């Protein structure tokens, strides 16, 4: 699974089964949710600038916001409803083809995503 980043966008790319693990974790989010996912940093960053090694997702009281922190890496915080909405973007059909993807920030309103969030594309490798 890969986590690509530019200064203003993220892409999470993995197999259907890898993405399903993130979906399963997010769908079970509760008020004290805090999970770190590890990504492969080997290889090309494709059309992105960086390959990141980890993503930390935790609950807050605000709509979900994805950001990059030099010390923490890629971080997503959000209220439980926002994280459960985010979960649906990791839920692909078992017969999904490589390249199928969802744009999280374009599909949710400000009830679920912060206007300050980095856009995220979730795609099947």
């Amino acid at each position: 699974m890969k986590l690509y980043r530019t200064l203003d966008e993220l892409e999470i790319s993995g197999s259907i089964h890898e993405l399903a693990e993130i979906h399963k974790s997010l769908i079970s989010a509760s008020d004290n949710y805090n999970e770190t996912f590890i990504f492969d940093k080997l290889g090309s960053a494709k059309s992105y600038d960086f390959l990141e090694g980890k993503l930390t997702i935790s609950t807050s009281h605000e709509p979900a916001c994805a950001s990059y922190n030099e010390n923490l890496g890629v971080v997503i915080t959000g209220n439980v409803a926002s994280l459960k909405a985010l979960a649906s973007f990791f839920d692909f059909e078992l017969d999904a083809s490589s390249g199928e993807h969802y744009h999280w920030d374009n599909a949710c309103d400000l009830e679920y995503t912060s206007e300050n969030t980095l856009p995220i594309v979730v795609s099947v490798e």
Side-chain angles (χ1 to χ4, degrees):
M1 202 163 44
K2 301 276 190 178
L3 174 56
Y4 302 98
R5 181 179 68 82
T6 64
L7 296 178
D8 58 359
E9 184 176 43
L10 302 170
E11 180 180 341
I12 299 169
S13 181
S15 71
I16 294 168
H17 297 293
E18 289 169 328
L19 298 173
E21 288 300 314
I22 295 176
H23 172 262
K24 181 179 172 183
S25 180
L26 284 170
I27 207 71
S28 69
S30 63
D31 287 335
N32 296 317
Y33 181 83
N34 187 353
E35 188 75 44
T36 299
F37 300 94
I38 304 300
F39 292 83
D40 179 9
K41 288 183 67 173
L42 299 175
S44 168
K46 299 190 328 181
S47 60
Y48 291 85
D49 299 324
F50 309 98
L51 278 172
E52 297 297 332
K54 73 177 185 175
L55 166 66
T56 302
I57 305 175
S58 61
T59 52
S60 71
H61 297 289
E62 304 293 326
C65 183
S67 61
Y68 174 75
N69 177 291
E70 189 70 38
N71 296 321
L72 302 174
V74 178
V75 176
I76 298 175
T77 59
N79 60 44
V80 172
S82 295
L83 295 183
K84 289 182 186 259
L86 174 60
S88 67
F89 292 86
F90 291 86
D91 189 22
F92 289 86
E93 297 292 328
L94 291 176
D95 62 351
S97 300
S98 177
E100 286 189 42
H101 63 279
Y102 298 121
H103 292 263
W104 171 58
D105 55 300
N106 291 337
C108 289
D109 61 31
L110 293 179
E111 178 181 351
Y112 296 106
T113 58
S114 165
E115 62 186 28
N116 299 320
T117 191
L118 289 173
I120 301 173
V121 176
V122 179
S123 65
V124 176
E125 288 183 331

